[in-house]
Amino acid sequence: MLLQPRYIALDSAHLIQWADARVSAHAPRRAEARRFELWLERHGYVPLLSLHHIAEMANHAVEAVAAGRLRFLAGLPLVAWIGAPPQGGAGTVVTLIAEEVRAACTAPQASRSEVRDLAKPRLIQAGAGTRMLGAAPEAWLALRPVFAAEAEQARKVVAFTRVGTVDISKKPMAELLNSRLRRGEDLRRQLDLMTGTYAASIAQRADRRIADPDAMAAAFMGDVAAMASPLPETAAELVLRALATQGVTADDITPTSTIGDMLDLGLFRAQLRIAAEAAGVSPSEALLHVQPERIPSWSLVQALQRHLPDLPEREGGELNDTYLACLAAYADVTLVDKRTWEGVRRLRAKAPELAALLGRVERLPRFEQLAAVLGE
C-alpha cells in the first residue's frame, strides 16, 4: 500500500488516450499504455478522478466505445476520486464546494487554504476502479442521456455567460435601480432586439454543436420575460425581486456595488444553498459563516472565468475544463488543455495568493509524454 500517494488529475483527453491505447490493435500503443502504468506505480502516482471525467468517458457517440472506456476505469487497480462520505461515490465540483462549505462552517476562522486542508481528507476516496464504478461498469451507460443533457446545458451556459454579448457587469447598481422600466410595445421591441443580438452572437462565437441559435436565444429571452412578469411599478422593485430569488437583499447593495458584484453574490448564495444541503449544513448557518473568498473551488472557478483567453469559439467543454482545474487545489499534478493552462498562467500572475493553492499544472498533447515533462 502507498503510504504517501501523489495524486495526478489527468485531463479527460489523456484518460481517453490511455484507455484507447490499452486496447489498441497496434502493439507499440499497448506498450506505451503499459509503460505509463508502470511509471505511475514506480513513482507513487495515483490518478485522481471525478464524475466529470466519468461523464466524458461515457459520452462517446458509439455506445460500445463508451462501454470499453468505462471497463478501463473499472479495471484500474488503484484510483482516487472526489467523493465525500457517507456515500463516497464519484462527485463533481458541487461535491468539492459542499465539503469546503462544511469545513468553513466547522472552522469559521479558517483561511481559504485551511478550509482546503480540512476538506481534503474527507473528499479524496481511494481504491480499485470497481469500488468507484461498481462491479458492472456498463451500468453507467444508462446515464448517457443524462450526461448528454448536461453537456448540452453546458453549451447553453457558456453561450450566455462567456461569449460577452451583453456585458453590463461594470454598470453601477444605483444606475440600474433608478432606470426606467420599458412597457408595452417599447418592451417588446427591446426584447426582440436582445433576442436577435443573442442569436447572432451564439451563431458566430458559441459552440458549433448548438443546432438552433435562434431558438435558444428566443427560449432564454422568453424565460427572462416570464421572470419579470407581472411588471412592478419601478425598476428597483423588479431588480430587487429578481435578486431576492438568489438570496440577495437591498441591504447587500452598497453605493459602489456594480451589477456584476450583485450577480456574483446571487450566484454564490444560490450555489451555497445547494452545497449546504449536500453537506448536511443548514443554509442559514452556511450564510452566517461562509464568505465567497473562503471557498477554494468557488474562488478558482470565478478567477479562471475571468482569466481564460477569449477564443473565437467558446465551447461548452470550457465549463467542465474549469471545474476539472479545481482539482489542482487537491492534486500534486493536474493536466489541463491549452486554454485552461493559459488561464492558470494568467491567474498565477494576477492572483498569486489564490494560485498558491494549486499544485503543479501542466499541458501536453499525449499522456505518454508526462514522465518527460515531470522529469521523472
Side-chain angles (χ1 to χ4, degrees):
M1 177 179 288
L2 293 171
L3 296 180
Q4 290 185 316
R6 293 192 289 177
Y7 298 112
I8 181 164
L10 298 172
D11 183 65
S12 297
H14 298 117
L15 268 179
I16 289 169
Q17 291 171 4
W18 180 14
D20 291 350
R22 261 272 198 98
V23 296
S24 173
H26 301 285
R29 292 293 294 143
R30 297 196 302 274
E32 285 173 349
R34 183 56 183 155
R35 280 195 296 272
F36 180 66
E37 291 157 16
L38 291 173
W39 178 83
L40 290 174
E41 182 179 349
R42 185 165 58 250
H43 291 279
Y45 281 115
V46 179
L48 177 62
L49 307 179
S50 69
L51 186 56
H52 299 298
H53 289 102
I54 297 170
E56 293 198 19
M57 296 286 274
N59 229 4
H60 193 277
V62 179
E63 185 171 304
V65 174
R69 290 173 176 175
L70 291 170
R71 286 193 295 271
F72 158 77
L73 290 179
L76 293 175
L78 181 60
V79 66
W81 64 93
I82 297 299
Q87 292 83 7
T92 66
V93 68
V94 175
T95 311
L96 288 174
I97 293 176
E99 279 306 309
E100 291 165 359
V101 166
R102 183 202 300 275
C105 288
T106 301
Q109 303 306 314
S111 66
R112 186 163 52 199
S113 61
E114 290 169 337
V115 165
R116 186 269 317 273
D117 293 342
L118 288 169
K120 186 174 181 177
R122 283 176 55 88
L123 270 172
I124 298 183
Q125 310 296 309
T130 50
R131 186 178 159 212
M132 179 180 68
L133 290 185
E138 293 88 349
W140 286 80
L141 294 174
L143 293 176
R144 279 161 56 82
V146 176
F147 295 147
E150 289 177 345
E152 179 63 29
Q153 178 64 15
R155 291 192 277 272
K156 180 178 178 180
V157 169
V158 171
F160 287 111
T161 63
R162 300 195 179 186
V163 171
T165 305
V166 181
D167 186 6
I168 57 172
S169 62
K170 292 182 172 57
K171 188 174 184 178
M173 278 297 298
E175 185 177 332
L176 181 64
L177 293 170
N178 293 320
S179 61
R180 177 181 66 87
L181 274 182
R182 297 175 184 267
R183 299 179 185 275
E185 185 63 20
D186 188 21
L187 175 60
R188 188 193 65 78
R189 284 196 301 269
Q190 181 65 19
L191 290 175
D192 286 347
L193 175 62
M194 292 180 69
T195 300
T197 301
Y198 271 122
S201 180
I202 293 169
Q204 292 168 8
R205 298 203 54 208
D207 198 302
R208 297 288 182 259
R209 289 166 291 185
I210 295 175
D212 192 339
D214 292 326
M216 179 178 282
F220 175 74
M221 291 308 301
D223 290 342
V224 171
M227 182 185 68
S229 182
L231 280 177
E233 291 298 316
T234 67
E237 291 177 76
L238 177 60
V239 171
L240 292 175
R241 187 175 76 192
L243 289 175
T245 63
Q246 293 190 309
V248 178
T249 70
D251 292 338
D252 294 310
I253 302 173
T254 70
T256 59
S257 295
T258 64
I259 294 175
D261 293 334
M262 293 300 100
L263 291 176
D264 286 347
L265 180 60
L267 180 59
F268 173 75
R269 287 187 176 169
Q271 293 194 2
L272 180 62
R273 287 197 299 271
I274 296 171
E277 290 173 4
V281 175
S282 75
S284 59
E285 182 184 359
L287 186 62
L288 178 64
H289 292 299
V290 181
Q291 299 78 39
E293 62 274 11
R294 294 183 62 222
I295 304 302
S297 295
W298 165 266
S299 301
L300 285 168
V301 168
Q302 295 304 107
L304 280 173
Q305 182 170 331
R306 290 192 299 272
H307 295 300
L308 284 174
D310 188 16
L311 301 181
E313 180 183 357
R314 305 301 292 262
E315 298 179 347
E318 180 179 314
L319 201 61
N320 247 14
D321 292 338
T322 303
Y323 295 157
L324 290 174
C326 292
L327 295 179
Y330 294 91
D332 296 277
V333 179
T334 302
L335 301 185
V336 297
D337 65 298
K338 182 178 179 180
R339 173 184 53 201
T340 307
W341 184 87
E342 175 60 21
V344 171
R345 187 194 67 78
R346 296 179 183 183
L347 173 65
R348 291 193 190 280
K350 300 289 186 180
E353 289 186 7
L354 179 57
L357 290 174
L358 306 179
R360 185 167 179 174
V361 178
E362 295 288 351
R363 55 168 180 156
L364 61 158
R366 303 289 310 178
F367 76 94
E368 63 267 25
Q369 297 170 327
L370 182 59
V373 169
L374 295 185
E376 298 183 21

